[in-house]
Amino acid sequence: MEVSRRRRRKDDLPRAPTWWWWTLVILLVSMETRAVYALDMWWQLGVSGVERWKNHPTYVLGASQPVIGLCAQIKGLSARQLRLCTTYQDHMSSIGRGAKMGIGECQFQFRDRRWNCSTVQDSSVFGPLIQIASREAAFTHAISSAGVVHAVSRSCREGDLASCGCSRARRPKDLHRDWIWGGCGDNIEYGYRFAKAFVDARETERNHPRHSRELARMMMNLHNNEAGRKAVYNYAKVECKCHGVSGSCALKTCWQQLPTFREVGHRLRDRYDGATEIRFNRRGTKLVRKNKNFNKPSKEDLIYLDESPNYCVANPETGSLGTVGRVCDKQSQGMDGCSLMCCGRGYNTFKQKLTERCHCKFYWCCYVKCKTCERVVDVNTCK
């Protein structure tokens, strides 16, 4: 009797309405989705080892049906990018190689600056930095987009992609009439079109209201993506090879050649230094320069919305790692100098012993023999 009364009392307790729990679950899922969309980026293809998928069985056999599961393994792809991945699976290795080239070139160009393009161990690659619409975010978008153009264009030339081959660019009008326009050039036209479709897909698949922060950031990213592609496309070169007896160069065969990616990196770093701060126009539908005293940015220039954060001190909210412990040059007056790199905090100096090859001599035939030398150098690090 007592047991039944206890059960009755327990059953009589008021229950929380079921709809409240479902509302909470849906809210949490939607918040998580927005956070993932904001942080996950396709750039992580450059650090996730996409090259190994070239040997994937479904890729080698050329399955008639797209293997969605293979593309689903890639974090950071938007819905439209995922569809492109399933349609052009053989392109993903090239995209990954382009992303890797972009990350490496970014780190090279900024190796002597307070922000050195450092990466983090997650699918955002650059951490909270990408959520700030700064010069640095503008450069990362541009260099990664340029990397995809460069890598896909070269893959077409090398015959790695089923949907493209050698360049079909027209013969330049100023090319010597006796020279042959042929060979197998880099297919920059195809690389540009595919990079535009893939990279911009993330930005264009959502609609945003006028004057909204999301619309401004979308337009900024699209502009900088295009600036990166232009840094490759507009600077293609004509490369020629001589023919003739004993290299007399009586005849030449010429073709379209990509600029080196180091040249692309230098060009985009100059654009970074001269980037233009922008804002909405009155209608909230177009980005215009904030300061009318500066020139109007072209399609090759970089633009940004926010000032760069302080990179002198570590701040996990902005992604800044600070400059404590960074190596600096006490003789330099540039950004790599201790006065600027260390932000006025001073620097420490210690001795370091270096072991290197020296007094190398060539012996016939055919090897080089070197001695091992040691020297002591001063190394300066920021306090």
Side-chain angles (χ1 to χ4, degrees):
M1 194 71 175
E2 292 181 2
V3 174
S4 61
R5 289 178 180 175
R6 288 176 185 174
R7 288 179 178 175
R8 192 181 302 116
R9 291 193 189 101
K10 186 176 181 180
D11 295 338
D12 289 342
L13 291 176
R15 296 181 178 179
T18 305
W19 65 266
W20 187 87
W21 291 105
W22 281 110
T23 303
L24 179 60
V25 170
I26 293 172
L27 178 62
L28 291 174
V29 169
S30 63
M31 292 175 63
E32 183 181 0
T33 302
R34 286 195 295 268
V36 169
Y37 186 86
L39 292 176
D40 288 354
M41 294 295 294
W42 64 269
W43 301 330
Q44 64 92 33
L45 283 167
V47 295
S48 63
V50 173
E51 290 291 338
R52 73 180 187 274
W53 288 341
K54 272 194 172 184
N55 298 322
H56 192 280
T58 56
Y59 178 83
V60 174
L61 294 176
S64 58
Q65 296 295 328
V67 184
I68 300 177
L70 187 61
C71 294
Q73 297 176 18
I74 307 174
K75 293 183 179 180
L77 295 185
S78 67
R80 193 173 297 172
Q81 287 174 334
L82 184 60
R83 290 196 295 271
L84 287 171
C85 175
T86 58
T87 305
Y88 300 96
Q89 283 194 43
D90 58 344
H91 289 52
M92 300 313 293
S93 294
S94 301
I95 295 173
R97 188 167 64 254
K100 186 176 182 179
M101 290 168 56
I103 295 170
E105 188 62 28
C106 180
Q107 293 176 344
F108 175 83
Q109 295 294 338
F110 290 89
R111 66 195 184 280
D112 295 327
R113 302 202 181 192
R114 292 174 180 172
W115 177 69
N116 60 355
C117 200
S118 53
T119 58
V120 296
Q121 299 298 321
D122 63 32
S123 55
S124 69
V125 179
F126 296 105
L129 168 73
I130 61 175
Q131 294 184 298
I132 304 172
S134 62
R135 293 171 182 258
E136 291 73 32
F139 185 87
T140 55
H141 276 267
I143 195 69
S144 56
S145 182
V148 175
V149 177
H150 203 281
V152 173
S153 301
R154 181 58 51 85
S155 294
C156 289
R157 172 184 174 178
E158 294 176 353
D160 293 335
L161 306 180
S163 56
C164 65
C166 300
S167 172
R168 297 181 179 179
R170 294 183 177 180
R171 178 190 179 95
K173 295 181 179 179
D174 57 348
L175 190 68
H176 195 283
R177 64 179 184 179
D178 293 333
W179 295 351
I180 300 174
W181 179 248
C184 187
D186 294 310
N187 198 336
I188 304 177
E189 294 78 14
Y190 182 91
Y192 174 88
R193 292 196 305 271
F194 185 84
K196 182 178 179 65
F198 181 84
V199 177
D200 288 357
R202 183 183 181 88
E203 309 297 337
T204 57
E205 64 186 14
R206 291 191 174 191
N207 295 322
H208 304 289
R210 292 192 302 174
H211 287 289
S212 66
R213 174 73 178 185
E214 292 79 8
L215 178 61
R217 185 62 192 272
M218 180 199 75
M219 297 173 70
M220 169 189 157
N221 291 346
L222 288 174
H223 179 98
N224 293 322
N225 290 345
E226 180 67 9
R229 291 188 291 268
K230 292 289 187 184
V232 180
Y233 185 84
N234 287 351
Y235 296 90
K237 301 178 291 185
V238 173
E239 193 74 15
C240 298
K241 181 180 180 180
C242 290
H243 303 281
V245 180
S246 300
S248 61
C249 217
L251 182 65
K252 285 186 177 181
T253 299
C254 304
W255 60 88
Q256 183 173 242
Q257 180 84 11
L258 285 164
T260 67
F261 205 63
R262 183 55 38 84
E263 293 173 350
V264 175
H266 288 322
R267 189 170 294 112
L268 288 177
R269 188 192 61 187
D270 292 339
R271 304 293 184 186
Y272 164 91
D273 291 330
T276 304
E277 186 176 6
I278 42 89
R279 61 172 177 81
F280 265 133
N281 61 359
R282 292 183 178 180
R283 298 183 62 185
T285 57
K286 186 178 179 181
L287 296 177
V288 295
R289 54 193 160 157
K290 190 172 183 180
N291 191 333
K292 297 297 182 181
N293 294 325
F294 294 113
N295 293 330
K296 184 179 179 180
S298 69
K299 290 184 178 181
E300 295 188 24
D301 292 324
L302 300 185
I303 60 175
Y304 66 97
L305 290 164
D306 303 328
E307 292 292 336
S308 299
N310 182 8
Y311 293 111
C312 289
V313 295
N315 186 345
E317 293 185 0
T318 61
S320 171
L321 300 179
T323 61
V324 176
R326 290 280 301 277
V327 176
C328 60
D329 183 359
K330 67 178 182 181
Q331 304 295 337
S332 175
Q333 299 299 317
M335 291 300 298
D336 61 334
C338 292
S339 58
L340 291 177
M341 179 68 74
C342 303
C343 308
R345 299 188 305 267
Y347 57 92
N348 298 316
T349 303
F350 64 92
K351 302 289 185 180
Q352 185 178 34
K353 182 185 290 186
L354 297 179
T355 302
E356 55 191 10
R357 300 172 67 188
C358 62
H359 306 300
C360 296
K361 187 176 181 180
F362 175 78
Y363 290 87
W364 183 266
C365 173
C366 300
Y367 65 95
V368 177
K369 188 175 182 180
C370 301
K371 294 182 179 180
T372 300
C373 299
E374 292 183 350
R375 62 189 180 97
V376 178
V377 297
D378 290 332
V379 178
N380 307 299
T381 58
C382 294
K383 292 183 177 179

